[in-house]
Amino acid sequence: MNALQLPCTLFRTQKRMDDYSASDMRCGELTETQLRTYYGLEYISDQVDPWTLTRRSSMDRPQSMFCCHLRGQGKKITRQQCAAILFDEFRFLSRQFSFYGPYRHLIEKMITHMQTGNGTPFRDMALDRALTEQIIRDNSKENSTRLLLEEGLKKYIDWDKKYYPSEGKQKLVDSILYGKLPKFIKFRDNFNGMGITIHDTRATHITIKSLNIDDDRFRAVVHYKVQDHFGLDSDDILKTQFNQFHLFRIWFVLQHYMQFGFRPFMTNMEATIEINGGRSGS
């Protein structure tokens, strides 16, 4: 029986990393007619009308008695000016989903990256901290991949030979499969910025980097690599939970309207944690 060769990647999601063919990574492929008819995106913004490239006033809003074409068109603007105004409104509206905590600044940073980054991947140390925090603070024995890995290591380490047997790799894989991958879907994530910046995640890799066994104790270093897409697809915008908010209507139009076509991007996060434990009954 041989020792498990490290580093060892125990888990990869079925959805792969860097999947630029995913539906939420498309951009600039929809016409005005498609957006206004099929997606119902007639009214997008309180600031501008992207279909006529004109400024709006408060009297143009649906709740105003002067709305619905009873007034003349507002001041004409260029397409570039319209996009810039929409991005400013996008950032402003994001604050209702991100108004407290150390990660509240991330959404505006990511919106600006969509505006200026031309689809390049996004990485920020604050995202790594948020991921590490989520993994360490998850103390659910049924769901935490960290705690389930700890139990698996404790149970299947060959304590006499001081190594983890390669034949037991699947036991660790199963430990992860029984748990839930780190995500940002708790109630507090609706308001601290993590729900809108990441929320669910697209792809995850989990790797044991090292394992040290000393007497009846072990110390494992485990690396989580997580990726999400900062983009919307058709299924997203057709859901009432998204469609009802101007923020998501603006986002979808900036991304998918062929006159704008701002590129979505990959959001990358990594966390390296220690798992410490001891021999059962020690």
Side-chain angles (χ1 to χ4, degrees):
M1 193 176 290
N2 298 317
L4 183 68
Q5 295 298 303
L6 301 176
C8 176
T9 298
L10 297 174
F11 178 82
R12 290 186 176 96
T13 47
Q14 289 185 343
K15 290 181 178 177
R16 59 186 176 86
M17 294 277 180
D18 301 324
D19 183 8
Y20 284 92
S21 67
S23 59
D24 58 4
M25 295 300 290
R26 295 174 187 159
C27 64
E29 83 284 14
L30 298 177
T31 65
E32 174 184 338
T33 301
Q34 288 173 308
L35 290 163
R36 295 175 75 170
T37 55
Y38 182 74
Y39 294 98
L41 299 175
E42 182 71 33
Y43 190 95
I44 303 301
S45 159
D46 286 340
Q47 306 299 321
V48 291
D49 183 344
W51 316 129
T52 61
L53 293 177
T54 54
R55 291 298 302 253
R56 291 192 188 279
S57 77
S58 59
M59 290 185 288
D60 294 318
R61 295 168 188 171
Q63 60 268 36
S64 169
M65 63 181 290
F66 299 103
C67 184
C68 307
H69 312 295
L70 295 179
R71 299 175 67 253
Q73 284 191 349
K75 178 184 175 183
K76 294 292 288 186
I77 54 176
T78 66
R79 185 168 293 109
Q80 291 76 17
Q81 289 172 325
C82 182
I85 293 167
L86 286 172
F87 269 108
D88 285 343
E89 189 174 1
F90 190 1
R91 278 183 284 267
F92 174 77
L93 292 173
S94 73
R95 294 169 193 166
Q96 65 187 300
F97 300 96
S98 183
F99 54 80
Y100 83 92
Y103 310 116
R104 64 184 181 275
H105 68 286
L106 279 171
I107 181 59
E108 292 192 44
K109 202 169 181 179
M110 292 170 74
I111 292 169
T112 299
H113 187 76
M114 180 181 176
Q115 183 178 6
T116 62
N118 198 31
T120 56
F122 181 85
R123 183 83 187 273
D124 193 284
M125 290 179 62
L127 285 174
D128 293 349
R129 287 197 303 271
L131 178 63
T132 302
E133 205 173 83
Q134 201 282 342
I135 295 167
I136 291 174
R137 289 186 177 181
D138 185 356
N139 290 314
S140 167
K141 291 183 178 180
E142 296 79 22
N143 298 325
S144 168
T145 53
R146 173 180 60 86
L147 294 180
L148 290 167
L149 278 173
E150 180 183 336
E151 285 301 310
L153 288 165
K154 184 188 302 183
K155 187 173 182 180
Y156 297 108
I157 281 175
D158 188 322
W159 291 99
D160 295 327
K161 296 181 179 178
K162 308 299 183 190
Y163 67 69
Y164 190 94
S166 58
E167 290 79 0
K169 177 182 175 181
Q170 188 59 42
K171 301 292 186 181
L172 297 180
V173 174
D174 291 342
S175 296
I176 296 170
L177 292 174
Y178 291 143
K180 291 184 178 179
L181 297 175
K183 301 178 189 229
F184 299 92
I185 55 176
K186 294 184 177 178
F187 181 75
R188 66 171 180 265
D189 296 322
N190 294 323
F191 310 106
N192 66 9
M194 295 309 300
I196 191 171
T197 53
I198 305 298
H199 191 65
D200 203 346
T201 54
R202 176 80 182 184
T204 300
H205 294 176
I206 301 176
T207 300
I208 294 186
K209 305 288 281 185
S210 65
L211 175 64
N212 294 311
I213 303 168
D214 186 17
D215 294 329
D216 290 335
R217 303 289 299 173
F218 71 84
R219 174 182 171 272
V221 175
V222 180
H223 183 257
Y224 289 71
K225 182 178 181 181
V226 177
Q227 188 175 80
D228 194 33
H229 297 174
F230 193 82
L232 298 177
D233 63 16
S234 295
D235 289 341
D236 291 327
I237 201 61
L238 291 172
K239 294 174 183 174
T240 302
Q241 70 187 87
F242 292 105
N243 193 282
Q244 64 179 314
F245 293 107
H246 281 179
L247 177 147
F248 295 105
R249 297 163 76 87
I250 290 171
W251 184 347
F252 192 82
V253 168
L254 284 169
Q255 178 181 337
H256 292 280
Y257 184 27
M258 60 175 48
Q259 297 297 335
F260 293 140
F262 287 90
R263 295 177 64 182
F265 54 86
M266 305 291 178
T267 304
N268 295 318
M269 296 159 281
E270 296 187 27
T272 300
I273 65 164
E274 285 188 14
I275 299 178
N276 296 284
R279 189 174 188 172
S280 297
S282 65

